[in-house]
Amino acid sequence: MPTHRRVTLVTLVSAVLVLGGLGGLGTPSLAAQTQTRTQLQTQNQNQPHNQHQTQTRLQTQVSSPLDVYVSPAGDDHADGSARHPVRTPPRARDLVRARTAEMQTDLTVHLAPGTYRLAQPLVLDARDSGADGHRVIWQGSGETVFSGGRQVTGWHREPGRTGLWSAPAPQGLTDTRQLYVDGVRAQRARGTVPVTLTQTATGYTASADTIARWKRPADAEFVYTSGEALWNAERNGLGQWTEPRCRIAAAQGTEITMAQPCWDNSNKRVEFPDIPGRTVSMVGPGRLTNGGRASYVENAYELLDQPGEWYLDRTARTVYYLPRHGENLARADVEAAAAEKLVDGQGTAADPVHDIAFRGLRFSYATWLSPNTPTGFSEIQAGNTITGERGWATQGLCQYVEGGTCPFASWTKMPGNVSFSYGRRIEFSDDVFAHLGAAGLDLGTGSADATVRGSVFTDISGNGLEIGGVDGRTPASGVTVTDNHLYALPREYHGGVAVLNGYTEHTTIAHNQIDHVGYSAISMGWGGWPDKIGDPATPNPSHDNAVRDNLIFDYMQMLDDGGGIYTQGLTGTSMADGEKVAGNVIHDQWGLGKSVYTDNGCTYETVEGNVLYGASYANVASRHTDYRDGLGNNDPTLVKDNWWEEGTADGDNKGLVTTGNHIMTGLSDVPADILENAGLEPAYRHLLDVSVAAPSVPEAPSRIGTSTAGPDALYVTFNPTFADGGPPVTRYTARAYDATGRQVAEQAVGAAEFKRTALLRIGGLPASGGPLTVTVTAHNAHGDSAPALASLPLAPTAATVPAAAPTGPKLRMEATAATLAWTPPAAMGDAKIVGYRVTVSDGRDPIAVTGRDALVTQPSAKAMFRVIDGLEPATSYTVTVAAVTAAGTGPAATVTATTKP
């Protein structure tokens, strides 16, 4: 596990004592971050390793004569005793099923270390439950793997293609979306769309027949990468929080026909006839934006051009792979994910499955094939999709359209590779969910009193953990999710979240560490969108849910319009039983969003005692009108006693109450017990050292954008990789290419410097040389990533017109600190904003404001803010802020205010 991810709050407290603060106007100083990592590495080296202690604790159950023993070397004709173990989990289940009536204590299924390959899922129902208050415990060793993979062997060099290897598809593998080499996820072959596309009713007309001449054009899939329109970068898709995918159905000449119903579900979403541009779903646009332009294309033999890429030719039953540096296919364990389910708990409302525990297991190498079908992946939000013929016209639209299915916003949830419905007292502890192709674990409809504790979720294609549903059936209740580490996800469906909670009751999500995720970390609730048209949020049964004491950082590293903790819709029936968000430490957001995001219809939420910093334009937001009556009030919300940078004054804005919050100038301002309490508790910090794959090069960066930096230079920004391969990313390198593909310049930047500035400047470009494209690689101790997909072409030009002055400057004053807030200029000049220059009337040096928020707030005109510390009480200060572009520093906006006595 890379040391840069080991940021527990015990270490943050220690760092505070040494380093003081956040360095004034910005995220924690580089020195503070370095000290934190160094202290924790030393701490981990000086402490005994806890993983063995955890496994020993889990294996101290009193044995029962009914226990069943399983080994990969066992025999399913054996009796399942310790001396004669069976071989497969399904056979063990059958033996358990015959013994539960005799239970007088817990019954344990002892799973020896090794890999258990599951051609079919382990299906459990009420017959497989514990009895008389006792549990059935499926006990692994920590090295016990439930695998849905098929090993790929017989590799040989492919004639005529330098560096390319091939192997026969393993028996039983008909399709897959994932391939892993020594546990490292490979990238399905991808590249830029090789033609210009013009959208039609059924697909596209291409500028040439290139795609039609591919070997298997109907295997190819267009991907529509969304996100805030930043600089010279694309904003495609169905909202900046989504990344839809649709397959090609056929390509003949220049006509490309897209697969149905994915195409219509992504382009015909019904709109209100009297509200132009407003879809009846009220979530995102009615059709793919940017003229339906695909950001890139995936899954074609012709796209195999980078190390780490693979392609399955289903017709020829051949797997192709371009090895990364250092990979030896003669020795490597190459796994193709084949099964779609590993464990499937199928209870019913009348006959639930109950009292089952899974401990010390690894769940790996499962896939999800629906996106490969004509259904595709027509995303709405958080991995929910529109499915079915004419789904665009009816699915989840309920009372708003004739024939709409109810309840409102009940779209198709991403399935879990491990799942339970109507399960009671189901436990997952000390497990690993990794190398998975859908959601990791789904505790769905009717789940009650479940526990997920001390587990690792990583390298998962979509959502990490899903709780409950929004389909109007029995809500989940009493689910406890504590002391888990979720990181480096989602890897494929980038609009997924680490923890997705639908409509639930008495759910607790506490003491988890969530870091390096592509979108929001925790998403709570659903169905609040009707407030966009003046209707109340959809009624739902949620109440008494708590999100507390979690450590969340480096989130929203790919998409936008989310948060560290994001909440939608009604959370209860009053402030007493509404959602509680308390004691969390949330910092270092990359995309456009908020630390705690109270979105449409979020009602009765309390946000109290959190530490929130490093967000783009709000720590807690936003205000929404409560349409349940005609009084014009806001959704009742309490924002209390937080430590933040936002600095909003106390007040009661028609039910939105803000009180007792503190501007933080550094971590030293925050009570040490809050910092120490957030994140993994001491007994579970060994999870930060759990390894799930061989170390490798990082995943490629994404969303490359460029802006002129003068007649011979470009500014480059991009989204950093959030899957670093194990060793931390140490630098990024940008390379510029002319129209012929010739490299004309390159420039590197350290990872820490890039985190501070969010850009690099690549100079020495040919004058009047025409448009250039830029690509970026990430580097760690194992080498360079594959290059990111290239930016759109842009020619550097002289910049002579500065941006206008920022607008709406405000000072939110406390006694010794203030928050300066402003909105980007209305007139940008002839170059993009790369930062701001702030002056304070006390004579201190001007302060350079850089970072991702300076970039992402610009095209959306979102307000941004910075903390100014070191002020004197009861003193008047004048502060100016001016935008900086390649044309220089523009005119300043000025504001004056007096600090509190």
Side-chain angles (χ1 to χ4, degrees):
M1 183 64 56
T3 56
H4 79 292
R5 192 173 288 120
R6 300 170 177 167
V7 188
T8 67
L9 265 295
V10 169
T11 310
L12 285 179
V13 173
S14 301
V16 167
L17 299 178
V18 176
L19 298 160
L22 298 180
L25 278 80
T27 55
S29 68
L30 197 51
Q33 295 177 36
T34 304
Q35 180 72 15
T36 298
R37 298 169 192 155
T38 303
Q39 288 187 350
L40 185 55
Q41 186 174 14
T42 303
Q43 172 184 319
N44 286 348
Q45 291 171 347
N46 292 337
Q47 288 182 345
H49 189 58
N50 290 325
Q51 189 169 10
H52 174 72
Q53 297 173 10
T54 302
Q55 295 300 335
T56 300
R57 182 181 73 245
L58 290 178
Q59 296 180 43
T60 56
Q61 300 102 334
V62 176
S63 62
S64 163
L66 302 178
D67 285 0
V68 176
Y69 292 81
V70 194
S71 168
D75 182 350
D76 274 355
H77 294 95
D79 61 8
S81 64
R83 292 174 60 88
H84 301 99
V86 297
R87 184 175 61 84
T88 66
R91 178 56 182 155
R93 173 206 58 201
D94 295 342
L95 293 176
V96 169
R97 188 174 288 177
R99 301 178 186 187
T100 53
E102 304 173 44
M103 291 177 68
Q104 296 181 4
T105 186
D106 290 347
L107 188 162
T108 300
V109 180
H110 301 271
L111 293 146
T115 298
Y116 298 85
R117 295 189 181 274
L118 301 173
Q120 299 295 326
L122 175 63
V123 177
L124 303 174
D125 59 31
R127 295 171 293 174
D128 307 302
S129 304
D132 297 325
H134 304 299
R135 295 166 295 180
V136 174
I137 300 171
W138 293 76
Q139 177 67 66
S141 66
E143 299 299 327
T144 302
V145 182
F146 279 15
S147 171
R150 298 290 178 270
Q151 196 167 40
V152 185
T153 59
W155 290 97
H156 58 274
R157 295 181 186 275
E158 183 68 12
R161 284 289 305 270
T162 302
L164 184 64
W165 290 63
S166 66
Q171 185 175 4
L173 182 73
T174 58
D175 200 2
T176 187
R177 292 181 65 88
Q178 293 86 29
L179 188 78
Y180 303 86
V181 181
D182 288 331
V184 178
R185 181 180 291 239
Q187 169 64 55
R188 285 207 308 175
R190 68 174 182 174
T192 56
V193 180
V195 291
T196 300
L197 299 175
T198 302
Q199 189 172 2
T200 67
T202 59
Y204 299 97
T205 299
S207 58
D209 65 351
T210 308
I211 292 177
R213 290 186 284 105
W214 286 355
K215 289 174 61 176
R216 311 265 187 255
D219 283 355
E221 180 177 283
F222 284 155
V223 184
Y224 305 88
T225 300
S226 301
E228 187 58 41
L230 179 62
W231 288 12
N232 184 43
E234 291 186 306
R235 175 176 170 178
N236 304 326
L238 290 162
Q240 55 194 301
W241 55 91
T242 67
E243 192 178 77
R245 296 165 170 262
C246 285
R247 238 191 58 211
I248 293 175
Q252 296 182 337
T254 59
E255 293 305 308
I256 296 174
T257 302
M258 299 299 291
Q260 295 287 13
C262 186
W263 186 247
D264 282 353
N265 286 340
S266 303
N267 285 288
K268 287 187 175 181
R269 296 182 181 181
V270 62
E271 298 181 356
F272 286 107
D274 55 343
I275 311 177
R278 173 65 70 198
T279 56
V280 176
S281 73
M282 298 174 236
V283 188
R287 60 187 298 115
L288 293 167
T289 56
N290 197 14
R293 179 185 171 99
S295 302
Y296 61 93
V297 60
E298 193 171 277
N299 201 41
Y301 175 86
E302 289 75 10
L303 300 174
L304 284 165
D305 63 354
Q306 296 296 330
E309 288 188 336
W310 68 279
Y311 169 70
L312 169 64
D313 187 326
R314 293 178 297 168
T315 303
R317 296 195 47 75
T318 301
V319 182
Y320 297 94
Y321 181 64
L322 277 169
R324 300 179 179 97
H325 177 72
E327 289 178 337
N328 184 337
L329 295 184
R331 297 195 302 264
D333 175 27
V334 182
E335 300 280 347
E340 295 190 78
K341 288 276 189 184
L342 299 175
V343 178
D344 191 7
Q346 300 178 354
T348 66
D351 208 4
V353 57
H354 59 88
D355 296 293
I356 300 176
F358 298 87
R359 298 175 178 175
L361 301 178
R362 292 195 175 206
F363 301 97
S364 294
Y365 304 126
T367 190
W368 178 35
L369 296 179
S370 180
N372 276 8
T373 72
T375 295
F377 188 75
S378 181
E379 190 170 23
I380 282 278
Q381 185 167 317
N384 284 261
T385 55
I386 295 180
T387 57
E389 301 295 332
R390 290 184 57 80
W392 55 273
T394 61
Q395 190 175 18
L397 302 184
C398 202
Q399 73 270 27
Y400 291 109
V401 298
E402 184 177 353
T405 61
C406 295
F408 173 76
S410 178
W411 299 295
T412 302
K413 186 174 74 171
M414 180 182 293
N417 292 132
V418 178
S419 66
F420 274 82
S421 59
Y422 292 102
R424 295 181 181 173
R425 296 178 296 280
I426 305 299
E427 174 197 324
F428 289 87
S429 59
D430 293 86
D431 298 317
V432 174
F433 297 82
H435 319 319
L436 298 173
L441 172 61
D442 178 25
L443 298 174
T445 294
S447 294
D449 302 322
T451 299
V452 183
R453 179 180 61 242
S455 296
V456 172
F457 293 76
T458 189
D459 189 21
I460 297 169
S461 287
N463 298 318
L465 168 64
E466 297 177 335
I467 309 168
V470 296
D471 56 8
R473 297 188 293 165
T474 307
S477 64
V479 177
T480 301
V481 179
T482 56
D483 288 297
N484 303 285
H485 186 204
L486 304 97
Y487 71 97
L489 58 89
R491 295 295 299 275
E492 187 173 1
Y493 311 107
H494 295 117
V497 300
V499 179
L500 176 65
N501 182 88
Y503 295 149
T504 66
E505 305 167 351
H506 298 284
T507 294
T508 298
I509 302 171
H511 287 293
N512 303 286
Q513 178 168 318
I514 304 175
D515 60 271
H516 295 85
V517 292
Y519 182 49
S520 297
I522 299 174
S523 179
M524 303 285 293
W526 206 248
W529 296 285
D531 79 357
K532 292 182 176 181
I533 61 168
D535 282 357
T538 303
N540 74 76
S542 296
H543 62 86
D544 291 292
N545 296 318
V547 183
R548 58 175 177 79
D549 305 320
N550 299 285
L551 172 60
I552 298 169
F553 60 95
D554 289 338
Y555 60 99
M556 290 181 62
Q557 294 206 308
M558 192 164 184
L559 299 184
D560 293 296
D561 200 11
I565 298 170
Y566 170 94
T567 303
Q568 251 273 351
L570 296 164
T571 75
T573 63
S574 67
M575 292 303 299
D577 70 358
E579 183 181 319
K580 305 297 188 294
V581 177
N584 303 282
V585 175
I586 304 174
H587 65 90
D588 288 335
Q589 173 186 300
W590 190 255
L592 183 73
K594 304 146 191 179
S595 308
V596 177
Y597 192 161
T598 58
D599 204 4
N600 301 95
C602 178
T603 305
Y604 299 129
E605 179 163 317
T606 298
V607 183
E608 181 175 6
N610 303 280
V611 179
L612 312 169
Y613 60 95
S616 64
Y617 73 97
N619 289 139
V620 181
S622 53
R623 182 204 66 78
H624 291 280
T625 301
D626 185 352
Y627 290 105
R628 294 175 301 163
D629 53 39
L631 301 178
N633 292 322
N634 292 321
D635 293 324
T637 306
L638 175 62
V639 183
K640 178 183 179 184
D641 295 338
N642 299 284
W643 282 261
W644 62 0
E645 296 172 320
E646 185 174 333
T648 301
D650 289 357
D652 183 345
N653 181 8
K654 299 182 178 180
L656 172 56
V657 178
T658 305
T659 181
N661 300 288
H662 314 275
I663 293 176
M664 57 181 292
T665 63
L667 291 175
S668 57
D669 294 342
V670 179
D673 60 335
I674 296 179
L675 299 176
E676 184 175 358
N677 193 47
L680 298 171
E681 296 176 284
Y684 293 94
R685 289 175 185 160
H686 68 276
L687 295 178
L688 302 177
D689 295 316
V690 173
S691 177
V692 300
S696 183
V697 299
E699 188 176 72
S702 63
R703 292 176 60 195
I704 316 301
T706 54
S707 173
T708 186
D712 65 345
L714 290 173
Y715 284 121
V716 182
T717 188
F718 51 89
N719 285 56
T721 178
F722 56 89
D724 55 25
V729 173
T730 55
R731 72 171 182 268
Y732 297 96
T733 302
R735 296 176 176 87
Y737 298 87
D738 64 18
T740 69
R742 180 177 64 93
Q743 181 179 320
V744 296
E746 74 174 58
Q747 180 65 52
V749 63
E753 176 68 5
F754 179 74
K755 186 171 185 176
R756 184 182 69 83
T757 64
L759 55 83
L760 62 81
R761 186 179 187 274
I762 183 167
L765 303 178
S768 303
L772 304 173
T773 58
V774 176
T775 190
V776 180
T777 57
H779 180 85
N780 69 7
H782 280 264
D784 289 334
S785 72
L789 297 170
S791 67
L792 295 176
L794 182 71
T797 58
T800 59
V801 181
T807 60
K810 298 179 180 63
L811 280 171
R812 301 164 181 165
M813 309 297 280
E814 291 190 356
T816 60
T819 294
L820 171 66
W822 69 93
T823 302
M828 297 300 180
D830 55 8
K832 303 297 184 181
I833 293 173
V834 297
Y836 294 88
R837 183 177 185 270
V838 173
T839 67
V840 184
S841 58
D842 59 6
R844 69 181 72 188
D845 291 338
I847 303 164
V849 176
T850 62
R852 185 66 166 189
D853 58 342
L855 310 185
V856 298
T857 54
Q858 175 186 344
S860 57
K862 298 290 187 182
M864 60 179 297
F865 52 87
R866 281 296 190 275
V867 172
I868 302 173
D869 61 1
L871 304 180
E872 296 293 329
T875 302
S876 176
Y877 289 90
T878 297
V879 178
T880 70
V881 56
V884 178
T885 72
T889 302
T894 303
V895 60
T896 299
T898 301
T899 51
K900 295 179 180 179

